[in-house]
C-alpha cells in the first residue's frame, strides 16, 4: 500500500472522504478548522502504518521521544472506534495520569468528532483496575467482614499520617522492627518483580530484608532475645508471615493502597470466570507510556491476553525511570517475548534538533537511526556544557547563554535529580531569607505568584518553630502534629497570619526603612497578630512586649533589601522525574558533583543499560533547541569524553 492509499483508507473512515487530496470536507472547517491544515496528511508513513495496524495482534509501538505518539494513539483509537460494530464490547485506552487521560480523550474527540459511547473506556490504568476488576470482584477473595453489605475497598494513601488517623493502630505490624518506629499496613507493599515486600514509598522504600537486617532492628531484636533467653525469636520468615497477616487483615476490613489494588486485580483475573469476561468486554486494550508498567501490571495484562484480549503497547523503554515502583525494561522485554509482540517504530523526533537527538542516542545506547525534525536556531551549535564549583554558578552561566541566544527564559528549565538540589537552587528557599524571616515572608507573600506564596509559608512556619521551640516538618511548612490536629489547619493559620501582616500598612512599609527602624516600629504588632491566630496549643504564649524581636547583629543600620523577583526574570527549577513528557525550548541538566550522586552524576548517564542512563536520556530529550549540561570541574580526559558526545564548552560572559 503506497502513501496515498494509506491516507485514503484512513480518510474514508475518519473523514468520510474517498480521496482526501481532492474532496476533503474538513479543510478550513470541521475537524481540522482549529489547526488550519489537514492533520492526516502531515503524518509520517510510520505513523500511518500504526493507525492501519491490525487489532487481532498484540503490538509494541516503540515511539522515540518527541515522536507524536499521543497524537497517533488518539487517531488510532478514533479510527478503531469509528469501525467498531458492537455496543456490548469496547476499546480500553489506558494512561498513567489524569492529565494524560484528558489529552488523549481530547485527541480521540478531535478525530471521532462525536461523543464516545460508554462501551469504550479512556482513563488511567488505576481507574480501569479499580472500576472493572478489583472493586467489582475483589470481595470474593479478600473481604472477610461478615454481615457487611459494602463489599468495596477504601483507598488509603501509603503516606497517611497514623497520628491523626488512630484507626490505623488496628493494622500495625506486630513485629519488633524498632523501639521508635511502628509500621502500619498502608506502609507495606509487595513488588511482584522481586517477590518481596517493601516498606515505605517511592525511592525511600526499603525491602523487608533490608529493614530486617538494619543495625537498629537487629539490635532491638537481640535485646528481646536476650531478655527472653531465646535466640530463635523473631526470625525473618516469621516477619514475612506477620506482614502477610497484617495485609490480609487490612484488606479483609475493606482497606487497600493503590499498589494493593493491583495485587487484588491480579488475584481476581486468575479466576477462570473473571478474566474471560473482561477480555470479551475489552477485546482491544491500548496502553500509553508502557515503559512505566510494573511487573504486576504486566502480569495483569498477560492474564487478559491469555484470556483473549489483544494489547497494543505504546512507549519508549529508554524512558523507563521508575524502578522504585518495579518498572524495569527487562520485565517488559520478557513480556514482549512471551506474547510475541509485533514491533513497530516511530523514529522521527519532532521536538528536538538533530544535535540534541544525537546526544540522547548516546545516552540511550540507541543503534537505530533517529531523526531530529526541529530546525537548529544556532547553526548546529545546540549542545553546551558548563563547569562549576557551585550549582548556582552553572545556572548563572546558563542564563547568560539564554540571553546570548535570545531564548525565552520562561520556556527554559533547570533539571536536577533530587528535591534537595531543587530547594538549594530555588531562591525562595534560600537560607539568606531566614535572617529576616518575617520581613521577607511578607515581601514574598505580596509577590502574589504561587511559588513565592509557598516560600512565604515556609519562612513563617520556620520562624514560629524558632520562637515557640517546637520541632516541625520542614517539608510541610514546619507543621507539628503534636500541636495541631491536621496539616491543613496549620497552613490556614499561616495564611491568616501572612494576610494580616500584608494588610497592615506599617508592617508592609519597607522602602527606605532600616532593619532597626522596622523592628522597633512593628515588633509588638507582629506578636499581636501571631498571638491572635495561633492554635490553642500556642495561643498567647509569645511575650507581648516582643523584646526578643530585634535586628540581627550587623544588619541594624542597613536599609531593608527589597525582593524583586519578577516571573520573567526567574528560571524554573524542576526534578527530572517531574518533567517526563514535557517540552522546553532550552534545558540545563545539572550533574551531581561526583559519582556519589549515583543516577544524578553525568558519567553514570553514559553507562548503557543502567537506570542512570535512562534518567539522563529523559532529561536530554526535553529541549527543542538548546541542551546544556552543568558539570563539576573536569579533568582533561573527562572534557574529551563530554566533547566527543557532542557538547561544546561554554566560555561566555560570567
Amino acid at each position: 500500500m503506497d502513501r496515498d492509499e494509506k491516507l485514503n483508507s484512513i480518510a474514508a473512515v475518519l473523514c468520510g472522504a474517498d480521496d482526501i487530496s481532492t474532496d476533503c470536507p474538513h479543510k478550513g472547517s470541521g475537524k481540522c478548522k482549529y489547526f488550519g491544515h489537514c492533520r492526516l496528511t502531515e503524518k509520517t508513513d510510520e505513523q500511518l502504518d500504526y493507525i492501519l495496524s491490525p487489532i487481532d495482534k498484540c503490538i509494541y509501538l516503540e515511539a522515540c521521544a518527541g515522536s507524536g505518539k499521543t497524537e497517533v494513539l488518539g487517531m488510532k483509537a478514533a479510527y478503531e472506534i469509528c469501525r467498531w460494530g458492537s455496543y456490548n464490547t469496547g476499546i480500553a485506552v489506558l494512561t498513567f495520569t489524569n492529565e494524560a487521560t484528558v489529552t488523549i480523550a481530547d485527541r480521540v474527540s478531535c478525530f471521532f468528532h462525536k461523543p464516545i459511547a460508554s462501551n469504550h473506556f479512556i482513563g488511567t490504568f488505576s481507574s480501569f483496575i479499580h472500576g472493572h476488576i478489583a472493586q467489582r470482584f475483589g470481595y470474593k477473595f479478600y473481604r472477610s467482614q461478615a454481615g457487611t453489605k459494602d463489599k468495596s475497598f477504601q483507598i488509603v494513601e501509603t503516606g497517611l499520617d497514623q497520628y491523626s488517623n488512630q484507626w490505623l493502630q488496628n493494622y500495625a505490624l506486630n513485629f519488633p522492627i524498632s523501639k521508635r518506629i511502628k509500621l502500619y499496613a498502608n506502609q507495606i507493599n509487595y513488588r511482584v518483580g522481586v517477590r518481596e515486600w517493601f516498606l515505605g514509598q517511592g525511592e525511600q522504600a526499603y525491602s523487608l530484608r533490608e529493614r530486617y537486617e538494619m543495625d537498629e532492628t537487629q539490635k532491638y531484636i537481640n535485646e528481646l532475645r536476650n531478655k527472653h533467653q531465646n535466640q530463635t525469636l523473631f526470625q525473618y520468615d516469621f516477619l514475612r508471615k506477620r506482614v502477610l497477616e497484617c495485609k490480609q487483615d487490612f484488606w479483609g476490613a475493606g482497606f487497600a493502597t493503590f499498589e494493593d489494588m493491583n495485587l487484588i486485580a491480579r488475584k481476581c483475573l486468575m479466576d477462570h470466570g473473571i478474566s474471560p469476561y473482561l477480555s470479551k468486554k475489552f477485546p482491544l486494550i491500548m496502553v500509553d507510556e508502557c515503559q512505566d508498567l510494573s511487573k504486576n501490571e504486566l502480569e495483569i495484562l498477560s492474564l487478559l491476553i491469555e484470556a483473549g484480549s489483544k494489547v497494543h503497547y505504546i512507549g519508549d523503554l529508554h524512558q523507563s525511570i521508575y524502578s522504585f515502583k518495579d518498572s524495569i525494561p527487562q520485565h517488559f522485554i520478557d513480556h514482549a517475548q512471551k506474547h510475541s509482540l509485533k514491533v513497530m517504530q516511530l523514529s522521527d523526533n519532532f521536538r528536538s534538533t538533530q544535535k540534541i537527538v544525537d546526544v540522547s542516542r548516546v545516552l540511550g545506547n540507541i543503534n537505530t537511526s533517529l531523526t531530529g525534525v526541529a530546525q537548529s536556531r544556532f547553526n548546529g551549535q545546540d549542545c553546551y556544557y558548563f563547569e562549576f564549583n557551585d550549582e548556582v554558578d552553572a545556572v548563572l552561566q546558563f542564563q547568560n547563554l539564554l540571553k546570548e541566544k535570545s531564548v525565552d527564559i520562561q520556556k527554559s528549565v533547570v533539571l536536577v535529580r533530587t528535591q534537595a538540589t531543587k530547594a538549594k537552587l530555588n531562591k525562595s528557599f534560600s537560607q539568606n531569607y531566614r535572617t529576616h524571616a518575617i520581613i521577607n515572608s511578607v515581601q514574598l507573600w505580596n509577590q502574589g505568584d504561587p511559588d513565592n506564596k509557598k516560600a512565604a509559608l515556609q519562612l513563617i512556619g520556620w520562624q514560629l518553630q524558632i520562637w515557640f521551640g517546637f520541632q516541625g516538618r520542614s517539608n510541610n511548612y514546619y507543621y507539628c502534629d503534636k500541636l495541631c490536629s491536621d496539616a491543613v489547619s496549620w497552613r490556614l493559620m499561616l495564611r491568616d497570619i501572612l494576610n494580616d501582616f500584608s494588610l497592615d500598612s506599617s508592617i508592609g512599609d519597607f522602602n527606605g526603612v532600616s532593619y532597626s527602624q522596622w523592628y522597633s516600629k512593628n515588633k509588638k504588632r507582629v506578636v499581636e497578630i501571631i498571638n491572635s491566630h495561633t492554635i490553642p496549643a500556642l495561643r498567647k504564649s509569645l511575650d507581648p512586649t516582643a523584646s526578643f524581636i530585634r535586628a540581627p547583629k550587623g544588619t541594624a543600620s542597613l536599609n531593608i533589601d527589597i525582593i524583586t523577583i519578577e516571573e520573567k526574570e526567574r528560571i524554573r527549577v524542576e526534578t527530572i522525574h517531574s518533567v517526563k513528557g514535557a517540552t522546553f525550548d532550552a534545558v540545563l541538566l545539572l550533574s551531581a558533583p561526583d559519582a556519589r550522586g549515583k543516577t544524578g552524576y553525568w558519567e553514570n548517564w553514559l553507562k548503557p543499560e543502567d537506570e542512570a542512563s535512562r534518567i539522563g536520556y529523559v532529561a536530554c530529550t526535553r529541549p527543542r533547541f538548546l541542551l546544556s549540561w552543568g558539570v563539576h570541574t573536569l579533568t582533561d580526559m573527562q572534557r574529551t569524553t563530554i566533547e566527543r558526545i557532542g557538547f561544546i564548552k561554554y566560555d561566555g560572559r560570567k
Side-chain angles (χ1 to χ4, degrees), residues 211-225:
R211 179 72 252 190
Y212 180 77
E213 293 178 351
M214 283 183 179
D215 291 342
E216 180 184 23
T217 300
Q218 286 300 306
K219 180 180 178 181
Y220 186 36
I221 289 174
N222 285 329
E223 287 178 5
L224 293 173
R225 286 172 176 169

Side-chain angles (χ1 to χ4, degrees), residues 339-381:
H339 297 290
S340 302
L341 302 188
K342 177 183 178 180
V343 179
M344 303 182 74
Q345 287 188 320
L346 299 181
S347 58
D348 288 336
N349 183 328
F350 296 94
R351 175 187 296 143
S352 305
T353 67
Q354 189 62 52
K355 285 288 186 181
I356 294 174
V357 169
D358 289 342
V359 168
S360 65
R361 284 182 66 239
V362 173
L363 270 64
N365 194 33
I366 300 172
N367 297 318
T368 56
S369 176
L370 298 179
T371 302
V373 177
Q375 294 297 309
S376 173
R377 288 167 48 177
F378 313 117
N379 298 318
Q381 295 185 338

Side-chain angles (χ1 to χ4, degrees), residues 413-428:
V413 70
V414 176
L415 297 182
V416 297
R417 179 65 185 87
T418 66
Q419 291 287 349
T421 306
K422 176 182 175 180
K424 177 181 177 182
L425 290 173
N426 192 328
K427 287 186 177 181
S428 298

Side-chain angles (χ1 to χ4, degrees), residues 415-627:
L415 297 182
V416 297
R417 179 65 185 87
T418 66
Q419 291 287 349
T421 306
K422 176 182 175 180
K424 177 181 177 182
L425 290 173
N426 192 328
K427 287 186 177 181
S428 298
F429 293 92
S430 169
Q431 294 293 321
N432 293 332
Y433 282 177
R434 289 184 177 177
T435 305
H436 301 281
I438 295 296
I439 291 173
N440 291 330
S441 68
V442 176
Q443 292 196 67
L444 289 166
W445 189 255
N446 289 336
Q447 291 280 338
D449 70 273
D451 285 342
N452 283 335
K453 283 185 173 290
K454 289 178 183 178
L457 291 169
Q458 190 80 355
L459 278 174
I460 191 66
W462 174 84
Q463 186 63 83
L464 293 185
Q465 175 185 248
I466 298 300
W467 283 347
F468 286 103
F470 60 85
Q471 186 64 47
R473 300 177 185 178
S474 60
N475 64 347
N476 200 4
Y477 309 111
Y478 296 90
Y479 162 65
C480 178
D481 52 36
K482 294 180 181 179
L483 299 175
C484 188
S485 60
D486 62 275
V488 174
S489 297
W490 179 260
R491 290 194 294 272
L492 291 174
M493 178 196 73
L494 299 181
R495 179 204 65 183
D496 292 342
I497 290 172
L498 286 167
N499 278 337
D500 276 8
F501 282 167
S502 299
L503 292 172
D504 192 299
S505 59
S506 177
I507 289 177
D509 182 15
F510 304 121
N511 291 313
V513 177
S514 71
Y515 286 110
S516 63
Q517 290 172 331
W518 188 93
Y519 284 113
S520 296
K521 183 178 181 181
N522 296 298
K523 61 183 182 180
K524 291 183 180 180
R525 179 58 178 153
V526 166
V527 168
E528 180 183 336
I529 290 173
I530 291 174
N531 279 339
S532 69
H533 285 293
T534 48
I535 53 181
L538 299 177
R539 192 158 295 152
K540 302 291 184 184
S541 57
L542 282 186
D543 179 3
T545 67
S547 58
F548 58 94
I549 300 180
R550 61 179 68 87
K553 186 177 180 180
T555 66
S557 62
L558 300 176
N559 280 352
I560 294 174
D561 287 330
I562 305 300
I563 299 174
T564 54
I565 304 177
E566 297 182 19
E567 194 65 32
K568 65 180 181 180
E569 296 174 349
R570 294 177 58 184
I571 185 74
R572 181 177 171 185
V573 181
E574 298 290 351
T575 61
I576 297 168
H577 281 79
S578 70
V579 298
K580 188 168 173 285
T583 298
F584 304 93
D585 282 1
V587 166
L588 169 61
L589 175 56
L590 275 183
S591 166
D594 52 50
R596 289 176 296 181
K598 298 180 181 178
T599 56
Y601 182 55
W602 74 270
E603 285 189 309
N604 291 336
W605 298 334
L606 304 180
K607 294 179 178 179
E609 308 305 324
D610 188 272
E611 186 172 49
S613 70
R614 299 194 297 273
I615 286 173
Y617 176 86
V618 167
C620 291
T621 52
R622 298 309 96 204
R624 300 172 64 204
F625 306 115
L626 191 63
L627 170 64

Side-chain angles (χ1 to χ4, degrees), residues 55 84 89-90 278-285 308-311:
I55 61 173
W84 206 258
T89 67
L278 260 296
S279 68
K280 288 178 182 177
K281 184 174 178 62
F282 295 106
L284 177 62
I285 300 171
S309 292
K310 302 303 178 185
V311 181

Side-chain angles (χ1 to χ4, degrees), residues 1-23 40-41 48 52 79:
M1 189 181 290
D2 64 23
R3 180 174 174 81
D4 286 340
E5 290 173 327
K6 294 175 188 176
L7 287 169
N8 288 329
S9 294
I10 299 171
V13 174
L14 289 181
C15 312
D18 293 329
D19 186 348
I20 197 171
S21 64
T22 59
D23 64 348
L40 182 54
T41 55
L48 296 176
L52 292 168
Y79 177 77

